[in-house]
Amino acid sequence: MLNLVLFGPPGAGKGTQADYLIKKFKLKHLSTGELLRDQIAAHTELGQEAKSYMDQGFLVPDSIVIEMIRSELQENKAVNGYVFDGFPRTVEQAIALDELMIINGTEVAAMLLLSVEKEELISRLLGRGKTSGRADDQGTAIIENRILEYDVKTRPIKDYYAAQNKFHRIRGMGTVEEIAQRLIETVSAL
Ligand code: AP5
Ligand code: MG
């Protein structure tokens, strides 16, 4: 199996690039952000709880997202591998993912960090906010909070993967196609 962690701050292009990776390597896309938005749209209890955090740009509790990923892995066993998008986001989640991979007889092959300048992140998300309907894309203050959450709680995970020799930094500036090419070259060389 080929399991990739697609990593980076809000607006780095994780969702956009996941589409290229799943097509090229025939993988299953697992985005915790999308799964949570599905729960909100379905008006579930989990969705209601998650919404209170997401709308303000805070991470939702680890227990919620870890359980969601555990159940997705159980339901999607016959795959070539996964692209994890927006997960893990804390060291707790990274440890839990390693444990889940072991249970499934596999492991994370690489963590791919899309590195993008802050001004570009804000401009992409404000641009998307005009049409996305996402509450967390509305306004600079909430976007800044998402980036702060990333800097404080999520960015440190890079050391966790570097210690396992799985950390790769990919320049996330340029056209979508150029970045996809960089990612595909990196993954092909694993
Ligand atoms: P999530 O849905 O994961 O959002 P995010 O990480 O904040 O990032 P985005 O999805 O907004 O950006 P992206 O990197 O996918 O970029 P995209 O391709 O869309 O999480 C949302 C919330 O859910 C979190 O804040 C948290 O509350 C909660 N959550 C989710 N997972 C969690 C977890 N594991 N633990 C705890 N809480 C969790 O691109 C962005 C825009 O830029 C698009 O408009 C796109 O068209 C454009 N774009 C992309 N590439 C380029 C390019 N090269 N040039 C110009 N524009 C580009
Ligand atoms: Mg996304």
Side-chain angles (χ1 to χ4, degrees), residues 8 37 54 60 70 96 101 109 115 151 157 160 169 178:
R37 283 187 288 277
M54 291 167 76
V60 306
R70 193 193 59 74
M101 292 282 94
S115 116
D151 285 338
I157 306 181
Y160 179 85
R169 183 190 299 273
E178 282 166 351

Side-chain angles (χ1 to χ4, degrees), residues 8-38:
K14 301 183 292 293
T16 305
Q17 295 299 332
D19 282 347
Y20 285 82
L21 290 173
I22 58 165
K23 286 196 188 100
K24 173 75 185 172
F25 299 104
K26 305 200 167 35
L27 306 173
K28 166 89 183 155
H29 183 198
L30 286 182
S31 156
T32 39
E34 279 178 19
L35 292 168
L36 290 166
R37 283 187 288 277
D38 289 347

Side-chain angles (χ1 to χ4, degrees), residues 85-149:
D85 158 1
F87 180 89
R89 262 176 146 103
T90 62
V91 174
E92 286 297 313
Q93 293 179 23
I95 293 168
L97 178 59
D98 274 350
E99 287 169 0
L100 286 169
M101 292 282 94
I102 289 169
I103 291 168
N104 285 272
T106 185
E107 64 173 340
V108 170
M111 187 265 232
L112 308 158
L113 166 67
L114 289 170
S115 116
V116 176
E117 285 149 26
K118 188 174 171 189
E119 295 67 33
E120 171 73 9
L121 298 173
I122 294 172
S123 127
R124 285 184 191 178
L125 294 177
L126 285 174
R128 187 179 64 188
K130 291 176 191 153
T131 54
S132 68
R134 275 178 62 168
D136 60 350
D137 283 346
Q138 307 307 318
T140 313
I142 188 159
I143 291 171
E144 294 260 13
N145 196 43
R146 287 162 66 191
I147 295 173
L148 184 66
E149 283 279 272

